[in-house]
Amino acid sequence: MATTSSMFMYSLTLQPPTAVTQAILGQFAGTKEQQIVTAAGSRLTLHRPDPSQGKIIPALSHDVFGIIRAIAAFRLAGSSKDYIIITSDSGRITIVEYLPAQNKFNRLHLETFGKSGVRRVIPGQYLAVDPKGRACLTASVEKNKLVYVLNRNSQAELTISSPLEAHKAQTLVFALVALDVGYANPVFAALEVDYGDSDQDPTGQAYEEIEKTLVYYELDLGLNHVVRKWSDPVDRTATILFQVPGGTDGPSGVLVCGEDNITYRHSNQEAFRVAIPRRKGATEDPQRKRTIVAGVMHKLKGAAGAFFFLLQTEDGDLFKITIEMVEDDNGQPTGEVKRLKIKYFDTVPVASSLCILKSGFLFVASEFGNHQFYQFEKLGDDDEEIEFTSDNFPTDPTEPYTPVYFHPRPAENLSLVESIDSMNPLMDCQVANLTEEDAPQIYSICGTGARSTFRTLKHGLEVSEIVESVLPGVPSAVWTTKLTRNDTFDAYIILSFSNVTLVLSIGETVEEVTDTGFLSTTPTLAVQQLGEDGLIQVHPKGIRHIRADRRINEWAAPQHRSIVAATTNERQVAVALSSGEIVYFEMDSDGSLAEYDEKKEMSGTVTCLSLGEVPEGRVRSQFLAVGCDDSTVRILSLDPDSTLENKSVQALTSAPSALSIMAMADSSSGGSTLYLHIGLYSGVYLRTVLDEVTGELSDTRTRFLGPKPAKLFKVSVQGQTAVLALSSRPWLGYSDPVTKGFMLTPLNYPGLEWGWNFSSEQCTEGMVGIQGQNLRIFSIEKITDNLLQESIQLTYTPRRFVRHPEHPYFYTIESDNNILSPATKNKLLQDPAVVNGDATVLPPEEFGYPRGRGHWASCISVVDPVTEKKVLQKIDLEDNEAAVSVATVSFASQEDEVFLIVGTGKDMVVSPRSSTAGFIHVYRFHEDGKEIEFIHKTKVEEPPMALLGFQGRLLAGIGKDLRIYDLGMRQLLRKAQAEVVPNLIVGLQTQGSRIVVSDVQESIFMVVYKFQENRLIPFVDDTVPRWTTCTTMVDYETVAGGDKFGNLWLLRCPAKASEEADEEGSGAHLLHERQYLQGAPHRLTLMAHFFPQDIPMSIHKTNLVAGGRDCLLWSGLQGTLGILIPFIHSLAYGQETNDRRGTGSLGAGDRAKNFCKSAHIL
Amino acid sequence: MADKLRAQQQLEQLQARYVGTGHADTTKFEWTSNIHRDSYASYIGHPPMLSYMAIGMGECREKVRSMMIEKMIQPVGRPPEAQD
């Protein structure tokens, strides 16, 4: 821990990345059921598809603390369980199995083969497994390939051999698959290019003549070595390979997919080639060639040769490819290929992985945007799509042929059943409290193209309301009860008002009943189903025991005393009297309540009581928790030997308002722990572990719920016991189904005064609650996701967004490269030469926008995320301009009126960067910002990549120049200018007259603006090149930022330099100060540095909890949301790092170097 | 002398195992080619970086990936004429 910095930050993940790099399918639990395993960032997640509901449920998520590069499933011959092979940046290959009983991943093997890190010659980029599970090959982009033999030992345990090398220097690998060869020696096919000759040939001829080859590597299991068995040149543009079934299922071999063509290749077969059909339409370029970017092969049950491929082009179109084989005399396929057939299937979002489930579903792990889960309606067998066969195409890739076309159409074969929220790519994010709630919301822009969205994130659980009805009065409490112990559903709802009790029966309809035995002329304190078939009503004057035969036993409170608090379970009752005495009852063998002889006198007035549930197999709960108004909680024993004796006591900060003893599942042991939940009058909630033997209280956790006294209720959610905590808003305490850790999450529901469990035929796991005069019945369907998302559809890939300084509206700038603008599109569609069928416009959310090289489509949208939840206005940019930056600026010269400023570029080319011009557009706000109106635009040399309001004027970064503009009548007026960075200004932040300028490549520069001299003077820069993406000022001297290589850092300006820069009249001095090593006179110091495994796209200093400390919230491109919390003492840092060691990691990453921890807190 | 020989052997071994290990006569072309190939391999290997570039280019990830491997063949243009 050698460091000179005294600053330590704690990194927490609020939302793990949702970008799936790879998804695999397998029977990982060892049963017939198939599961999907996805790799997202550093997380390995197992999903369980539910065919009956048409849903995908995440069952287990594991952080490997490393970059997962590739995953593959394999199964040993004769086994029924699939294992997972993982290659990561740890330089190791890991084999993992899923243990369904414990719901965890278990590491079986961890073999080191190379250096750690993502490197050019360290295998791990590609991974292929023999279909019979006998060997796997992992390769790097260049040169290295390692083959591991997988087998089992005499104990039937999986073994892995030492690696066999199949290296070839100066060879690049484009794709790698395993061949299906049945039980012959395993063969792997690679698509390779040898650049050795072209590196030596100055004439460039060797480069021109480079061939791409398909190479077979055979693992000789007998001799235990790998040979390069066969190689043959293929199409130069080929990029991807697919395995063709072999053995008894098919002809074996591979599909080689290149630009505009798919070729079947195998060492002992002829080549067959088919063109990829191109889209036909008025807005489509007929010359544009498609390539295959993803695909999946699926074998159907039954006949040999019954398999097909679904291959996807970059437009998202899926094509069904089938291979026809030569048949013998009996009509059986011989394994000799006759032709290749291709036809259009359907269109889905562009995938990083496709998985076809045996149950008839297709999982599309989208490369950007939501993941989709489709059901197959049919397999496109007998539709009217034109089928193209390989008979019409030459096998030689250089020979010309007539391209083929198809008309895309709405989906016929697939129907969408679930869209799984994914914030990937998360382009920008801001925190604001626009709804005036307790906690702020996170606003973000994500997605690409027509699937872009504006999303609002709120910490909370989704609640589905079942009933809301108005009652005649304002009830104080509500209970539900069943009639006998064996009932599954509740029979009565009991409502207590200020002086009456109302009983409602639950049936087809809910109606009042009067002959229940309940005393209706008094308020009620507690209701309980007791013993076999009794009912208990506790009211201020006594306890009423209603037997099944309607016999009533009444215990009356002693004279001049009344009952103030009560608690019950199915065998015990405890009540507290106004005198501070506690009376305890237990059920006798005959079902009647027996009072315990002695009363326990408490020191103060009792405010609340709690008995735990009777544990299974016991006759009583061991403990009674008593809360008194002297701010204490006492645990009393209920053991017959020591009845009502003090066990332990806990002092509190305020009087307790509610108590609940509850056994809940916990993360450590897999079993359950007894907790005492405490709610205080101050609105604080505490959770304490209650020792089941000694009654000791330990490990207290505190949380502020809201300003109202907290009330606690035991409810059942998704089959587990949970605590409903009510204050100014409702909260649910439960154990997370995946991690088993305790979570306390607010419900997205109005504040309740009382709540109780509710179970009926229509709603088995619901809750009933009181809100003012309303009775509400609701349920919680999903507790896996504690961030609520709301999406608003946007038009193009959002780049940046700003908020109106006063009103709850956002302005997004959206732009897409290589997409036709609406004007161009309309012109093409209105061309009279267009045939009718070509003019149909399909929804761009599914089919994308028509593409055209060099074109830009861009717009500015006004988004209302609070009331109307939609885009209010959209302004399209014309003349191939695209928006690159946005800011709201108040101009002092215009009486501080706020304007929206948008920077654009014309005819931009991304790489190498170029453009014909840049513009700064000015828009005026109307109707509190609901509308914007264009005023004028100013031409500048380059697209202004950064804009910011600065001292009543506009600060713009144009190329290397930093400029100050004022608003004029016809255009912006340049007031000051300085060249401050070496490359390109991409970001601006300011405090006072200090400006933090980020350069695209050279980290940040601090610039001071000297008003007197009207000069911009850089005075401090960095020693390290950082390809800055985002920055924020943490304080006047410190800047937090992120870069394109996925680092987060904090930089601080030396105190002396900071002081000097702000000195009055120091302009001339600063300007002529001696440069230090050809840079600014001073250097920034690095305070903290962290690699969060995602590219930070935004960072803000903010506060996520009311009354909590400030933290840094950052958002990552793959959908990660994280926070950095500063440590107050460096001691805590040491302790936390020690805690991290020894905690389990799968070892795929297994690097303790990153001090990070994943958890959900807000 | 034996030490020198061993050092030489060790260097050769390193050069064989780790592509790009330099030597006294490394040319500018070799060095820059090597740097660029390393960079491209890193862009491909880090999923967020590949996404970042794909979004910037308005292409899909798989196309950007294959384009980058394609660039690794000759990342900095033709080699210079051999000089004696």
Side-chain angles (χ1 to χ4, degrees), chain A residues 506-522:
Chain A
I506 307 166
E508 293 273 300
T509 56
V510 174
E511 50 195 31
E512 190 181 342
V513 278
T514 47
D515 57 340
T516 54
F518 279 93
L519 192 64
S520 63
T521 54
T522 168

PDB file of all heavy atoms in Angstrom, chain A residues 506-522:
ATOM      1  N   ILE A 506     -63.680 -12.022   3.609  1.00  0.00           N
ATOM      2  CA  ILE A 506     -63.059 -12.059   2.281  1.00  0.00           C
ATOM      3  C   ILE A 506     -63.671 -13.220   1.519  1.00  0.00           C
ATOM      4  O   ILE A 506     -63.675 -14.355   2.004  1.00  0.00           O
ATOM      5  CB  ILE A 506     -61.545 -12.249   2.397  1.00  0.00           C
ATOM      6  CG1 ILE A 506     -60.939 -11.201   3.321  1.00  0.00           C
ATOM      7  CG2 ILE A 506     -60.880 -12.208   1.028  1.00  0.00           C
ATOM      8  CD1 ILE A 506     -59.525 -11.508   3.759  1.00  0.00           C
ATOM      9  N   GLY A 507     -64.221 -12.948   0.389  1.00  0.00           N
ATOM     10  CA  GLY A 507     -64.785 -14.015  -0.449  1.00  0.00           C
ATOM     11  C   GLY A 507     -64.787 -13.512  -1.873  1.00  0.00           C
ATOM     12  O   GLY A 507     -63.850 -12.832  -2.288  1.00  0.00           O
ATOM     13  N   GLU A 508     -65.856 -13.853  -2.597  1.00  0.00           N
ATOM     14  CA  GLU A 508     -66.018 -13.316  -3.943  1.00  0.00           C
ATOM     15  C   GLU A 508     -66.025 -11.790  -3.872  1.00  0.00           C
ATOM     16  O   GLU A 508     -65.374 -11.113  -4.641  1.00  0.00           O
ATOM     17  CB  GLU A 508     -67.342 -13.806  -4.528  1.00  0.00           C
ATOM     18  CG  GLU A 508     -67.386 -15.298  -4.778  1.00  0.00           C
ATOM     19  CD  GLU A 508     -66.841 -15.665  -6.142  1.00  0.00           C
ATOM     20  OE1 GLU A 508     -67.399 -15.182  -7.137  1.00  0.00           O
ATOM     21  OE2 GLU A 508     -65.847 -16.413  -6.192  1.00  0.00           O
ATOM     22  N   THR A 509     -66.814 -11.301  -2.908  1.00  0.00           N
ATOM     23  CA  THR A 509     -66.816  -9.871  -2.633  1.00  0.00           C
ATOM     24  C   THR A 509     -66.403  -9.679  -1.180  1.00  0.00           C
ATOM     25  O   THR A 509     -66.446 -10.613  -0.391  1.00  0.00           O
ATOM     26  CB  THR A 509     -68.224  -9.267  -2.824  1.00  0.00           C
ATOM     27  OG1 THR A 509     -69.102 -10.004  -1.985  1.00  0.00           O
ATOM     28  CG2 THR A 509     -68.674  -9.323  -4.257  1.00  0.00           C
ATOM     29  N   VAL A 510     -65.994  -8.485  -0.856  1.00  0.00           N
ATOM     30  CA  VAL A 510     -65.628  -8.183   0.515  1.00  0.00           C
ATOM     31  C   VAL A 510     -66.792  -7.445   1.155  1.00  0.00           C
ATOM     32  O   VAL A 510     -67.199  -6.394   0.682  1.00  0.00           O
ATOM     33  CB  VAL A 510     -64.333  -7.336   0.551  1.00  0.00           C
ATOM     34  CG1 VAL A 510     -64.030  -6.890   1.974  1.00  0.00           C
ATOM     35  CG2 VAL A 510     -63.173  -8.134   0.005  1.00  0.00           C
ATOM     36  N   GLU A 511     -67.420  -8.040   2.202  1.00  0.00           N
ATOM     37  CA  GLU A 511     -68.557  -7.363   2.832  1.00  0.00           C
ATOM     38  C   GLU A 511     -68.488  -7.491   4.340  1.00  0.00           C
ATOM     39  O   GLU A 511     -67.812  -8.370   4.879  1.00  0.00           O
ATOM     40  CB  GLU A 511     -69.868  -7.918   2.285  1.00  0.00           C
ATOM     41  CG  GLU A 511     -69.955  -9.422   2.311  1.00  0.00           C
ATOM     42  CD  GLU A 511     -71.093  -9.926   1.426  1.00  0.00           C
ATOM     43  OE1 GLU A 511     -71.398  -9.268   0.413  1.00  0.00           O
ATOM     44  OE2 GLU A 511     -71.648 -10.966   1.766  1.00  0.00           O
ATOM     45  N   GLU A 512     -69.237  -6.610   4.995  1.00  0.00           N
ATOM     46  CA  GLU A 512     -69.203  -6.564   6.443  1.00  0.00           C
ATOM     47  C   GLU A 512     -69.940  -7.767   7.021  1.00  0.00           C
ATOM     48  O   GLU A 512     -70.983  -8.181   6.511  1.00  0.00           O
ATOM     49  CB  GLU A 512     -69.846  -5.263   6.942  1.00  0.00           C
ATOM     50  CG  GLU A 512     -69.604  -5.065   8.409  1.00  0.00           C
ATOM     51  CD  GLU A 512     -70.254  -3.798   8.950  1.00  0.00           C
ATOM     52  OE1 GLU A 512     -70.601  -2.919   8.160  1.00  0.00           O
ATOM     53  OE2 GLU A 512     -70.375  -3.726  10.179  1.00  0.00           O
ATOM     54  N   VAL A 513     -69.396  -8.330   8.097  1.00  0.00           N
ATOM     55  CA  VAL A 513     -70.083  -9.411   8.811  1.00  0.00           C
ATOM     56  C   VAL A 513     -70.166  -9.002  10.282  1.00  0.00           C
ATOM     57  O   VAL A 513     -69.277  -8.312  10.786  1.00  0.00           O
ATOM     58  CB  VAL A 513     -69.373 -10.774   8.657  1.00  0.00           C
ATOM     59  CG1 VAL A 513     -69.736 -11.433   7.370  1.00  0.00           C
ATOM     60  CG2 VAL A 513     -67.876 -10.628   8.792  1.00  0.00           C
ATOM     61  N   THR A 514     -71.229  -9.433  10.952  1.00  0.00           N
ATOM     62  CA  THR A 514     -71.436  -8.991  12.329  1.00  0.00           C
ATOM     63  C   THR A 514     -71.423 -10.143  13.326  1.00  0.00           C
ATOM     64  O   THR A 514     -71.199  -9.937  14.515  1.00  0.00           O
ATOM     65  CB  THR A 514     -72.789  -8.258  12.446  1.00  0.00           C
ATOM     66  OG1 THR A 514     -73.771  -9.047  11.787  1.00  0.00           O
ATOM     67  CG2 THR A 514     -72.716  -6.879  11.823  1.00  0.00           C
ATOM     68  N   ASP A 515     -71.645 -11.387  12.833  1.00  0.00           N
ATOM     69  CA  ASP A 515     -71.795 -12.509  13.768  1.00  0.00           C
ATOM     70  C   ASP A 515     -70.487 -13.261  13.972  1.00  0.00           C
ATOM     71  O   ASP A 515     -70.453 -14.477  14.020  1.00  0.00           O
ATOM     72  CB  ASP A 515     -72.873 -13.459  13.232  1.00  0.00           C
ATOM     73  CG  ASP A 515     -72.515 -13.942  11.828  1.00  0.00           C
ATOM     74  OD1 ASP A 515     -71.681 -13.270  11.162  1.00  0.00           O
ATOM     75  OD2 ASP A 515     -73.049 -14.970  11.396  1.00  0.00           O
ATOM     76  N   THR A 516     -69.400 -12.539  14.074  1.00  0.00           N
ATOM     77  CA  THR A 516     -68.108 -13.217  14.138  1.00  0.00           C
ATOM     78  C   THR A 516     -67.627 -13.445  15.559  1.00  0.00           C
ATOM     79  O   THR A 516     -66.664 -14.147  15.774  1.00  0.00           O
ATOM     80  CB  THR A 516     -67.053 -12.354  13.425  1.00  0.00           C
ATOM     81  OG1 THR A 516     -67.092 -11.043  13.994  1.00  0.00           O
ATOM     82  CG2 THR A 516     -67.322 -12.275  11.950  1.00  0.00           C
ATOM     83  N   GLY A 517     -68.270 -12.835  16.518  1.00  0.00           N
ATOM     84  CA  GLY A 517     -67.795 -12.952  17.892  1.00  0.00           C
ATOM     85  C   GLY A 517     -66.879 -11.824  18.292  1.00  0.00           C
ATOM     86  O   GLY A 517     -66.545 -11.662  19.460  1.00  0.00           O
ATOM     87  N   PHE A 518     -66.444 -11.016  17.342  1.00  0.00           N
ATOM     88  CA  PHE A 518     -65.578  -9.898  17.683  1.00  0.00           C
ATOM     89  C   PHE A 518     -66.401  -8.798  18.351  1.00  0.00           C
ATOM     90  O   PHE A 518     -67.534  -8.539  17.954  1.00  0.00           O
ATOM     91  CB  PHE A 518     -64.911  -9.324  16.426  1.00  0.00           C
ATOM     92  CG  PHE A 518     -63.715 -10.118  15.983  1.00  0.00           C
ATOM     93  CD1 PHE A 518     -63.847 -11.133  15.049  1.00  0.00           C
ATOM     94  CD2 PHE A 518     -62.462  -9.845  16.513  1.00  0.00           C
ATOM     95  CE1 PHE A 518     -62.748 -11.861  14.650  1.00  0.00           C
ATOM     96  CE2 PHE A 518     -61.371 -10.573  16.113  1.00  0.00           C
ATOM     97  CZ  PHE A 518     -61.501 -11.584  15.184  1.00  0.00           C
ATOM     98  N   LEU A 519     -65.816  -8.162  19.345  1.00  0.00           N
ATOM     99  CA  LEU A 519     -66.471  -7.058  20.023  1.00  0.00           C
ATOM    100  C   LEU A 519     -66.333  -5.828  19.120  1.00  0.00           C
ATOM    101  O   LEU A 519     -65.227  -5.417  18.794  1.00  0.00           O
ATOM    102  CB  LEU A 519     -65.783  -6.816  21.363  1.00  0.00           C
ATOM    103  CG  LEU A 519     -66.481  -5.906  22.352  1.00  0.00           C
ATOM    104  CD1 LEU A 519     -67.809  -6.506  22.787  1.00  0.00           C
ATOM    105  CD2 LEU A 519     -65.577  -5.682  23.556  1.00  0.00           C
ATOM    106  N   SER A 520     -67.475  -5.282  18.696  1.00  0.00           N
ATOM    107  CA  SER A 520     -67.405  -4.222  17.689  1.00  0.00           C
ATOM    108  C   SER A 520     -67.467  -2.832  18.311  1.00  0.00           C
ATOM    109  O   SER A 520     -67.252  -1.848  17.640  1.00  0.00           O
ATOM    110  CB  SER A 520     -68.527  -4.391  16.668  1.00  0.00           C
ATOM    111  OG  SER A 520     -69.753  -4.239  17.341  1.00  0.00           O
ATOM    112  N   THR A 521     -67.760  -2.736  19.612  1.00  0.00           N
ATOM    113  CA  THR A 521     -67.969  -1.414  20.204  1.00  0.00           C
ATOM    114  C   THR A 521     -66.694  -0.842  20.822  1.00  0.00           C
ATOM    115  O   THR A 521     -66.737   0.082  21.617  1.00  0.00           O
ATOM    116  CB  THR A 521     -69.041  -1.507  21.296  1.00  0.00           C
ATOM    117  OG1 THR A 521     -68.622  -2.533  22.208  1.00  0.00           O
ATOM    118  CG2 THR A 521     -70.388  -1.842  20.722  1.00  0.00           C
ATOM    119  N   THR A 522     -65.580  -1.385  20.471  1.00  0.00           N
ATOM    120  CA  THR A 522     -64.325  -0.926  21.048  1.00  0.00           C
ATOM    121  C   THR A 522     -63.245  -0.955  19.971  1.00  0.00           C
ATOM    122  O   THR A 522     -63.351  -1.719  19.008  1.00  0.00           O
ATOM    123  CB  THR A 522     -63.922  -1.836  22.230  1.00  0.00           C
ATOM    124  OG1 THR A 522     -62.587  -1.558  22.607  1.00  0.00           O
ATOM    125  CG2 THR A 522     -63.992  -3.310  21.854  1.00  0.00           C
TER     126      THR A 522
END
